Structures are given as C-alpha cells and as structure tokens.
Amino acid sequence: MHHQSLSELSSHLQQRSFSSEELTHYFLRRINQYDAQLNSFITVTPETALAQARAADKCLQTGTAGPLTGIPIAHKDIFCTNGIKTSCGSKMLDHFVAPYNATVVEKCQAAGLVMLGKTNMDEFAMGSSNESSFYGPVINPWDSKAVPGGSSGGSAAAVAARLTPVATGTDTGGSIRQPAALCNLTGLKPTYGLVSRYGMIAFASSLDQGGPLAKSAQDVALLLNAMAGFDPRDSTSLNRPGEDYTAQLNNSLVGLNVGLPKEFFSDGLDPEVGKLLQNAISELESAGAILHDIELPHTALAVPVYYIIAPAECSSNLSRFDGVRFGYRCHEPKDLMDLFKRSRGEGFGAEVKRRIMIGTYALSAGYYDAYYLKAQQIRRLLTQDFKNAFQQVDVILGPTSPTPAFNLGERVDDPLKMYLSDIYTLSVNLAGLPGLSLPAGFVGTRPCGMQLIGNYFSEARLLNIAHQYQLRTDWHRASPKQFVD
Amino acid sequence: MSLQRQEVEKIAHLARIALSEQDIPEYTRNLSNILTLVEEMNTVNTNGITPMAHPLEAIARLRPDVVTEGNQRDHFQQIAPQVESGFYLVPKVIE
C-alpha cells in the first residue's frame, strides 16, 4: 500500500478498496514502527488525522471527493497549524501552538488531504543537512550514516521511507530540491509567488517558496494543484489564472531544447554524480530532446550573494522573536534589554545566530552599500544570465547537489562547506525561477538528483519532462531496503 | 575580512543576542570566514546596475482600506509568555 502513487491510492479510495480511516491508520502504524530510527517527525497528530480521515470518508461516500480526498500528507513544521505545535525546528518555538492555519495547510485540508503530523527540519529552515534542528538530526533512510539533506529533511526522509505518501516542504536556497535529491524523491520549488507564504514562518521573504516532495513527478503535479493559487493574505502572491499541473505530463519531448550550463559540470561536481547525469542526459536525448551547451557566467557568485541577501532578510524577519508576545522567554530577566538578549541568545541555535548576525552586520550603517546593495545588483546579473539562456533553450539541466549525501557530523563545524552543497540551487531562488529535482541514480547506497530549471511559470513543462523521464527509468521507484515492508 | 572580538560583540548587541564569553571566539572566526567568502562579490563591476529587490519585479499590491480581521487579542495572548488584563508584561522600563 505504501508504495502506491497518489492516483493509485485515490482510485482505491474511490472504489472503497479501503477507507481513508484505514489508510490513515496504516501510515500512523508505519510512523510508529519506523520513525524512532529516522526522527523525521517532530509532532505526530493521530487524533486530527483520524478526524480528517473520517470526514474524507464521508465525502467519498457522498460523491463529493476530489483527486486527493482521503490521502495522508505530512507538513513541514514551518507551516502554522491551528491548535497544533509549530516549532520551526527551534527551541524558540518549542511551546508555540499556532493560533491560525497557513494558507497551504488550509488548501490541503480543503482538498481533503489528511494531516499525519509535522516534520523535522533545520532550525528556521537554515541548513542543508537537518542537523541544526533543536529536535536532533534526521537520518537518511538510504544510509543511517548519511544526512537526508535540508532544510526539509524530515519531509524527505518521511516520504522516502514511505511513512507518508507525500509531504510539503519549503525552499529558500535548495531546501526542497537538495533533500529530494539526497533521498531519491521528486521535489519542486515553484516560481516565486505561486504558492502562498501566509502562515509559513518567514526566513528570507524574497526567496522562500513552499512546494511538494513526492515519489514521482505525477504526484508532485497533483499536490501542486492543491497548493498553488492566489492568496490575498500574502502580499507577494501572484494573481494569475489557476492551472492544471498534470495537463502536460504526457506531452512528447521531441524537439525540447535542453541547456547544459558548463558552470554546473565543472570542477566542484563529484565525478560519479557527473556520470549519472550523463546517463540521464542521454536518456532525454533518446526521447527527442536537443542538447545545447550554455553558460551561466555568474553562477559562482550565487553563494556570496545568497549569504548576504538571505541573512539580511532573516535578521529582519527574526527580529519578531523578542520573548514578549510569543515564543521562548528567558528566566528572570533583569531588565528589558536582558529579556530580549537572553531570550534570543538561549532560544536560537548557533546557525540561526550566525545568520542573524551576518545580516545585522550587512544592513548596519556604513556597510549597507558594500554588502546588501552590491548583492542585489549581482542578483540582477544572475537573473539576466537565466533570461539570456531561456532565449535559447526551454529548460536548463544540471545536478541538484554537487555530491551524494554526506555523513552526519561531517560538515557541522564548517558552515562554509555546508553552504557549498547548495551551489547549484541558490541561484534559482535568487532569480525566482521554478526548479525541480528528480532521482537520477545512485553512488553506492546513496541517491543523487538531477535538477531541471525552467522559465517563470513553466512548472507544468518541468513536470512533463520529469514524468517522461520517469516513464523511461526506474530510479524513482527504488525505495530503501530497511523500510520496504 | 577578519572581524575583531569587539566588532562581534557590537553586532551581537545590535542583533539583541546574548553570546556567552566562551562562544565569542568561535563566532568571531565563523563570521569572519563568511565575510571573506562574500568578498568575492567585489570582483564584479556593478556600476549602473539597478539592485533587484523582487524576483518578478512585482510591486506591492494595494487593497481597499477596510477592516478584514476582527480583534483577536485574547486568542493571540494565549500563547504569550506573560500577560495581565490584556497587556503583555515585561520587566519594568521606567523607574
């Protein structure tokens, strides 16, 4: 049952082969059985899940069910859930019970999805390994010595181990795509503004986007249908007509122009990952795609630019955590300044404090032009690189991550090394483009991903390419041995 | 770029973050390394390039100036660390 696609599960539910309540019990049992090994959930919500499942069963009985009604889902613990703890992976919000729902949560609920719980993540989504979580690291289901990637590491591990059929994540610099790659999943970061950020705890507001993590491109398309759409409560939400992201899945790839940026296949790329990508490229070529060598000359600058812009925005966003209105408060503050400083000093972990401090420095008097303004200027150059490329090609293909999953603990003491694992994903957020990662094979026991980057609003096309690739290959069907039964 | 200890203390103060004495050297080292990494930006000539604040160049959407949310003070104060009679409590500010 746990290996079935969303559409298979849906047709079983529609035909009453099993009820949503039975399906929900089934996945709750799997979480119970396996999650002690993975730590992929921060909170499991059996009561809510079963109540939602029973409501879904009523819809299924009365014929008012949609394509996702009754299917279980897990939400990254960055999405506010009314009456349910929303920790964002931080001690700061360890006791925070959100007083309202994120739009994404509401939309999933309206689509009849059943929430199993909230998944583990890097603290405030800052990290690439899920090791910065206050609740401890998540283990990669493919290899217990490996990280699952981050920041949506709990969502990725939970779907990979088949503890949930699908999950939500968020991506500020690669936080959906990199864990998808490291856990053998398909994950999509949509165009900036497509998915509402209302109730999604903010890290870097001009970069953050929510999106799906799933077993296949088809499943991603189905969940994106539920997640996307204009939201008047998010001032950066785009008001454009809705779209069916499954509509183009079966289109042919004949004549598709694929750009291969030379900067994505250079020195930093692990040669084994490079080989897997060459095989994937050949596969697309045999499906009719036409390959083009292209250049994205400012690629290397994405890391420095990101590590100014994201911390600058984070230092502003996280100033709301002051120990006064919600969240952690230190014991016996001696005055107001002490209350602010100790609540933040004790409530935030090391990586979050580093980023707030870098952002504070970059925005402080006398440094603003040299850092923030300069970074925003180069951001335009990076975006222009993509615009030039899309004059020539329909889609850009490269690795998602330069290496397979690294070992737990390996990069924890070296933030810079950690930052470099997002070298191929950061520029996509800076430009606001959609990016998708899909399974492309294994190096030893560890999965690797291929990244497709499209022009603005080309999600349906990216999913089409990924789906056609998945019709020709089996990588995405592989699941970790230990959790197969 | 290498930060001095005093600079890190000043940044921590601006960010309203208490750092313990023993952690300051590590923050000094890590923050210096990050600032060295971002120095690479200086290799690019950006004269005349307009900074890009929004990926899609969108401008803030305006809405009619009408009330859309009712007062939910009691609901929101349920999650506050310390409240009394509808007020958030903090240590005494004015003696």
Side-chain angles (χ1 to χ4, degrees):
Chain A
M1 193 137 72
H2 49 276
H3 294 295
Q4 291 182 14
S5 69
L6 298 188
S7 56
E8 285 166 336
L9 290 173
S10 183
S11 66
H12 282 299
L13 288 166
Q14 304 266 1
Q15 291 157 10
R16 315 271 195 289
S17 319
F18 43 75
S19 67
S20 173
E21 192 173 348
E22 285 166 330
L23 186 64
T24 302
H25 269 302
Y26 180 85
F27 279 102
L28 288 169
R29 272 198 303 277
R30 284 186 68 77
I31 294 170
N32 214 7
Q33 183 182 354
Y34 289 120
D35 202 44
Q37 300 170 53
L38 295 173
N39 197 28
S40 68
F41 280 84
I42 291 174
T43 308
V44 184
T45 53
E47 293 86 8
T48 315
L50 292 168
Q52 290 178 348
R54 284 190 283 269
D57 281 328
K58 282 212 181 81
C59 292
L60 286 156
Q61 276 154 21
T62 54
T64 51
L68 295 173
T69 302
I71 294 175
I73 188 171
H75 288 302
K76 184 176 183 178
D77 208 17
I78 197 168
F79 290 104
C80 285
T81 40
N82 194 5
I84 293 165
K85 172 168 143 173
T86 301
S87 74
C88 222
S90 182
K91 179 181 177 184
M92 182 61 83
L93 293 178
D94 186 34
H95 297 289
F96 177 69
V97 174
Y100 67 100
N101 277 326
T103 297
V104 162
V105 171
E106 298 249 291
K107 278 176 161 293
C108 287
Q109 228 167 305
L113 286 155
V114 170
M115 184 180 84
L116 295 170
K118 311 286 299 287
T119 57
N120 203 342
M121 55 182 285
D122 278 300
E123 185 179 6
F124 284 104
M126 298 175 199
S128 310
S129 68
N130 218 113
E131 292 168 296
S132 75
S133 170
F134 174 64
Y135 302 92
V138 174
I139 307 301
N140 190 319
W142 288 92
D143 185 333
S144 60
K145 291 191 185 67
V147 301
S151 66
S152 311
S155 288
V159 179
R162 310 300 191 238
L163 307 187
T164 176
V166 72
T168 55
T170 60
D171 190 315
T172 304
S175 283
I176 289 174
R177 290 161 289 158
Q178 185 252 19
L182 271 41
C183 290
N184 204 47
L185 301 177
T186 307
L188 174 76
K189 183 209 91 78
T191 302
Y192 182 78
L194 200 71
V195 170
S196 169
R197 295 185 299 107
Y198 180 80
M200 190 178 106
I201 296 171
F203 158 18
S205 301
S206 80
L207 306 168
D208 297 341
Q209 246 318 266
L213 284 135
K215 299 193 287 284
S216 68
Q218 191 182 28
D219 285 2
V220 167
L222 283 165
L223 182 55
L224 186 62
N225 277 350
M227 290 175 77
F230 174 63
D231 179 9
R233 290 178 297 186
D234 170 3
S235 65
T236 57
S237 172
L238 296 166
N239 197 350
R240 57 195 309 278
E243 201 179 323
D244 176 5
Y245 294 100
T246 65
Q248 295 182 31
L249 290 177
N250 294 314
N251 288 3
S252 155
L253 301 188
V254 173
L256 175 78
N257 291 300
V258 177
L260 306 170
K262 73 166 202 253
E263 295 80 3
F264 280 36
F265 293 91
S266 60
D267 299 347
L269 181 64
D270 179 303
E272 295 295 315
V273 180
K275 274 186 215 156
L276 293 173
L277 280 170
Q278 289 309 329
N279 295 341
I281 292 164
S282 306
E283 195 65 50
L284 290 175
E285 202 178 11
S286 69
I290 305 157
L291 309 177
H292 302 265
D293 290 320
I294 60 163
E295 289 183 17
L296 298 170
H298 295 94
T299 295
L301 287 152
V303 179
V305 167
Y306 181 89
Y307 281 98
I308 289 300
I309 292 174
E313 294 185 11
C314 121
S315 78
S316 306
N317 271 325
L318 272 62
S319 63
R320 74 191 54 169
F321 300 104
D322 54 7
V324 175
R325 291 154 305 155
F326 51 86
Y328 178 82
R329 172 182 283 204
C330 65
H331 292 295
E332 296 179 12
K334 66 178 194 307
D335 54 32
L336 191 58
M337 187 60 90
D338 186 47
L339 166 71
F340 292 150
K341 284 188 173 180
R342 275 204 295 125
S343 297
R344 291 164 63 79
E346 294 165 17
F348 292 135
E351 180 61 20
V352 173
K353 282 188 271 200
R354 277 197 285 272
R355 295 206 196 181
I356 291 175
M357 287 169 67
I358 285 290
T360 303
Y361 180 72
L363 293 175
S364 63
Y367 297 100
Y368 179 85
D369 287 4
Y371 289 110
Y372 190 68
L373 218 58
K374 182 88 182 174
Q376 295 281 53
Q377 287 174 313
I378 303 176
R379 182 180 192 180
R380 185 173 299 280
L381 297 175
L382 276 156
T383 305
Q384 198 55 51
D385 281 359
F386 282 115
K387 285 187 175 159
N388 295 342
F390 288 126
Q391 301 279 333
Q392 208 189 330
V393 299
D394 303 309
V395 65
I396 295 169
L397 187 154
T400 305
S401 179
T403 63
F406 43 93
N407 286 335
L408 287 152
E410 190 182 312
R411 299 187 186 176
V412 126
D413 298 323
D414 188 351
L416 259 46
K417 219 170 168 197
M418 189 75 88
Y419 296 174
L420 288 173
S421 58
D422 296 328
I423 173 114
Y424 305 125
T425 47
L426 298 173
S427 53
V428 176
N429 298 75
L430 290 165
L433 293 165
L436 181 144
S437 179
L438 71 160
F442 291 80
V443 173
T445 55
R446 302 185 183 185
C448 297
M450 146 166 80
Q451 184 180 207
L452 302 173
I453 303 165
N455 212 338
Y456 299 108
F457 308 112
S458 66
E459 284 80 4
R461 186 62 162 152
L462 294 181
L463 290 161
N464 160 234
I465 301 164
H467 181 64
Q468 290 302 312
Y469 178 79
Q470 292 179 339
L471 290 175
R472 287 169 172 79
T473 55
D474 281 329
W475 299 123
H476 67 292
R477 291 187 195 283
S479 75
K481 277 206 298 293
Q482 221 181 326
F483 307 94
V484 80
D485 298 322
Chain B
M1 159 130 194
S2 186
L3 290 173
Q4 302 303 309
R5 183 194 178 91
Q6 298 89 315
E7 289 173 289
V8 171
E9 285 170 348
K10 187 183 167 209
I11 299 167
H13 170 70
L14 290 173
R16 302 292 186 263
I17 289 175
L19 293 182
S20 70
E21 271 304 302
Q22 76 221 38
D23 288 343
I24 293 177
E26 203 190 327
Y27 278 97
T28 307
R29 193 172 59 247
N30 279 323
L31 297 184
S32 298
N33 287 342
I34 297 169
L35 290 173
T36 303
L37 170 90
V38 304
E39 267 173 15
E40 201 189 330
M41 295 198 303
N42 297 329
T43 60
V44 186
N45 181 355
T46 51
N47 280 341
I49 293 169
T50 316
M52 180 175 145
H54 187 289
L56 295 169
E57 313 286 344
I59 48 161
R61 202 176 51 247
L62 298 177
R63 62 170 176 81
D65 186 15
V66 291
V67 175
T68 55
E69 302 272 344
N71 183 9
Q72 301 189 58
R73 186 183 69 185
D74 294 344
H75 182 48
F76 291 148
Q77 286 195 335
Q78 279 172 13
I79 49 170
Q82 213 184 345
V83 289
E84 198 181 289
S85 331
F87 295 103
Y88 292 96
L89 292 194
V90 296
K92 194 182 267 185
V93 179
I94 301 163
E95 293 299 330

